[in-house]
Amino acid sequence: MQLSNNENTYNGTTTNGSVTLSNVVDGSYTYTVTKTNYDTVTKSVTISGDETINVTMQIKTGTVSISVLDGTNSGVANAVITLTDTNNSSNKFATSNSGTGSSSGATISSVKYGTYKVTLDLTNATGYTAPTSIDNLVVDSSAETLNIKVTKN
């Protein structure tokens, strides 16, 4: 966290979510809070004596572009992909029931940064076998690409 104005700058770091800045001179300041994988928060505040500032941070999100491909790199239509957060199983993102649709590709938007277990449902993509395992997907940028290879029966 950084608290600053034209005359003073105060810096603090934390590992537990709480920062204490000492001997802050009263006045108007701008504070900036940064955390890896979260949107930066910058706001104005007036300090007069002891103050507590509560900051709510939002985790960044990205878009995942998904293709399901056979051995010849041809797209496989109607595959349904689900991404399940490995740290919070209730945090799931999935393609629609038509999955990759006729275009063999799909996009899932607003996926929170994190690590996801990838599952593939080929019920509506007859004639294909899913891989026995799919590597976890790490979403840590605004755009990710996932190519899943399947086997034609």
Side-chain angles (χ1 to χ4, degrees):
M1 174 183 187
Q2 183 178 70
L3 180 71
S4 63
N5 62 16
N6 292 335
E7 298 156 5
N8 301 294
T9 299
Y10 306 91
N11 292 297
T13 60
T14 181
T15 57
N16 65 0
S18 179
V19 175
T20 300
L21 302 174
S22 300
N23 302 315
V24 176
V25 176
D26 290 354
S28 296
Y29 292 87
T30 299
Y31 67 85
T32 302
V33 181
T34 59
K35 182 178 179 181
T36 302
N37 293 336
Y38 284 78
D39 292 327
T40 298
V41 175
T42 301
K43 294 192 176 179
S44 298
V45 63
T46 300
I47 302 295
S48 178
D50 290 344
E51 297 282 346
T52 299
I53 302 169
N54 293 312
V55 179
T56 301
M57 300 188 78
Q58 299 295 319
I59 194 164
K60 291 181 178 182
T61 61
T63 299
V64 179
S65 298
I66 302 166
S67 294
V68 178
L69 306 169
D70 66 15
T72 64
N73 285 330
S74 295
V76 175
N78 302 316
V80 177
I81 299 97
T82 302
L83 307 176
T84 304
D85 190 328
T86 59
N87 292 317
N88 179 358
S89 62
S90 65
N91 190 17
K92 290 185 179 184
F93 301 89
T95 58
S96 66
N97 289 338
S98 62
T100 53
S102 60
S103 67
S104 73
T107 300
I108 304 176
S109 300
S110 302
V111 178
K112 295 178 181 180
Y113 279 28
T115 301
Y116 292 85
K117 177 182 177 193
V118 179
T119 54
L120 178 63
D121 178 355
L122 295 174
T123 303
N124 296 321
T126 55
Y128 294 94
T129 302
T132 54
S133 68
I134 301 171
D135 291 339
N136 284 345
L137 173 69
V138 176
V139 177
D140 61 0
S141 68
S142 61
E144 300 287 345
T145 301
L146 175 61
N147 293 316
I148 302 172
K149 296 279 190 166
V150 297
T151 304
K152 191 167 180 80
N153 296 338

